[in-house]
């Protein structure tokens, strides 16, 4: 299968910057999604990277390096409401379509 | 536009029973995927349906099955429930444009507890 690896937990201070890393297998890889999931809620879409480089969307940015099988999600000016799990998901070629493989998620705790 | 809806939101069953979960995708979305989420394993892919056909399947036993109707609504069924089937079952829909990956949008999930 396609392994997606990301840290299990991270803690950061309100107002700071945090980077959540994700590594993935490159065989059959198409693109990389990041989702945010608050406890007891559904995952919500944050970003999708297909090309190498950094894409910025407000306080959140996502980076992709296809050759290294590496991505990161950068959260700036952390707020308490950013406490959530962040899911990295690779899109891989399947039988006639693309299939998402998720990492186990990184639980981010933002402390005052 | 209304989001993905799933029913029921919570379900309690006993071992050996069967259960059917329902998912209504975002209007216009033709692909529906199902995932099982547990604390230890994270989100695991069950299957994907498109135009009433199962197009991809994850590594789950045959007790897990699904179908899709002509209006893109989907159901999944789990027979002979086991304690380990206790999980959050998430449905996600996507537009499904040819030749590219479309963003999947998730429903609120069905929390299944097997006693």
């Amino acid at each position: 299968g396609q392994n997606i690896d990301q840290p299990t937990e991270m803690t950061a201070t309100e107002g700071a910057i945090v980077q959540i890393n994700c590594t993935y297998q490159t065989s059959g890889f198409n693109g990389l999604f990041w989702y945010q999931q608050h406890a007891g809620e559904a995952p919500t879409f944050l970003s999708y990277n297909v090309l190498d480089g950094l894409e910025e969307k407000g306080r959140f940015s996502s980076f992709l390096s296809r050759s290294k099988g590496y991505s990161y999600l950068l959260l700036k000016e952390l707020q308490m409401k950013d406490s959530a799990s962040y899911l990295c998901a690779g899109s891989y070629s399947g039988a006639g379509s693309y299939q998402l493989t998720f990492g186990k998620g990184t639980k981010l705790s933002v402390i005052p | 536009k209304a989001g993905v809806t799933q029913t029921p939101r919570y379900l309690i069953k006993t071992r050996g029973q069967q259960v059917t979960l329902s998912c209504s995708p975002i209007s216009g979305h033709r692909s529906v995927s199902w995932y099982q989420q547990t604390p230890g394993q994270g989100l695991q892919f069950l299957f994907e349906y498109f135009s009433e056909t199962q197009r991809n399947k994850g590594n789950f036993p045959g007790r897990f099955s699904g179908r899709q109707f002509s209006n893109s609504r989907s159901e999944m069924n789990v027979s002979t429930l086991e304690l380990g089937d206790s999980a959050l079952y998430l449905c996600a829909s996507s537009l499904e444009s040819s030749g590219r990956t479309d963003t999947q949008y998730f429903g609120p999930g069905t929390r299944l507890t097997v006693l």
Side-chain angles (χ1 to χ4, degrees):
Chain A
Q2 295 95 359
N3 286 339
I4 308 284
D5 291 316
Q6 54 182 131
T8 305
E9 292 186 41
M10 297 183 72
T11 301
T13 306
E14 192 176 14
I17 299 172
V18 71
Q19 178 175 311
I20 303 174
N21 296 323
C22 171
T23 58
Y24 61 87
Q25 291 186 321
T26 57
S27 176
F29 175 79
N30 181 60
L32 199 291
F33 286 90
W34 284 97
Y35 284 84
Q36 180 192 59
Q37 186 177 26
H38 285 100
E41 298 183 10
T44 55
F45 169 75
L46 288 176
S47 66
Y48 176 53
N49 293 66
V50 176
L51 302 176
D52 284 353
L54 185 69
E55 291 206 7
E56 298 184 67
K57 196 184 291 185
R59 294 189 300 114
F60 291 14
S61 301
S62 55
F63 172 83
L64 181 69
S65 169
R66 297 181 70 96
S67 61
K68 295 181 180 177
Y70 168 69
S71 173
Y72 67 73
L73 180 69
L74 193 70
L75 291 76
K76 303 176 189 174
E77 301 169 15
L78 280 172
Q79 302 175 9
M80 298 301 290
K81 67 178 182 179
D82 296 330
S83 292
S85 285
Y86 291 86
L87 310 176
C88 172
S91 169
Y92 289 89
S93 302
S97 68
Y98 297 99
Q99 181 179 312
L100 292 190
T101 299
F102 282 83
K104 293 186 179 180
T106 299
K107 184 178 178 182
L108 174 66
S109 298
V110 180
I111 58 176
Chain B
K1 196 182 266 191
V4 179
T5 58
Q6 291 187 246
T7 57
R9 293 293 311 278
Y10 301 92
L11 208 48
I12 299 176
K13 293 285 188 179
T14 56
R15 278 181 299 175
Q17 288 187 306
Q18 74 161 19
V19 67
T20 299
L21 312 180
S22 181
C23 170
S24 292
I26 292 171
S27 177
H29 284 194
R30 299 167 66 194
S31 171
V32 173
S33 297
W34 288 90
Y35 297 87
Q36 181 195 67
Q37 187 175 34
T38 58
Q41 296 300 317
L43 263 160
Q44 293 187 286
F45 174 73
L46 281 157
F47 27 64
E48 184 231 352
Y49 285 88
F50 175 75
S51 291
E52 302 177 64
T53 301
Q54 186 182 91
R55 195 161 56 173
N56 281 305
K57 189 178 190 307
N59 194 24
F60 278 81
R63 300 186 296 108
F64 292 82
S65 63
R67 59 178 175 169
Q68 186 181 35
F69 302 94
S70 58
N71 62 357
S72 293
R73 191 177 70 85
S74 177
E75 289 181 348
M76 69 163 279
N77 185 76
V78 189
S79 62
T80 320
L81 283 167
E82 301 177 359
L83 295 179
D85 297 333
S86 294
L88 180 67
Y89 289 89
L90 290 161
C91 159
S93 75
S94 63
L95 193 60
E96 191 55 29
S97 305
S98 176
R100 72 172 199 207
T101 302
D102 284 310
T103 299
Q104 292 188 10
Y105 296 92
F106 285 84
T110 295
R111 173 74 62 186
L112 172 65
T113 301
V114 182
L115 302 176

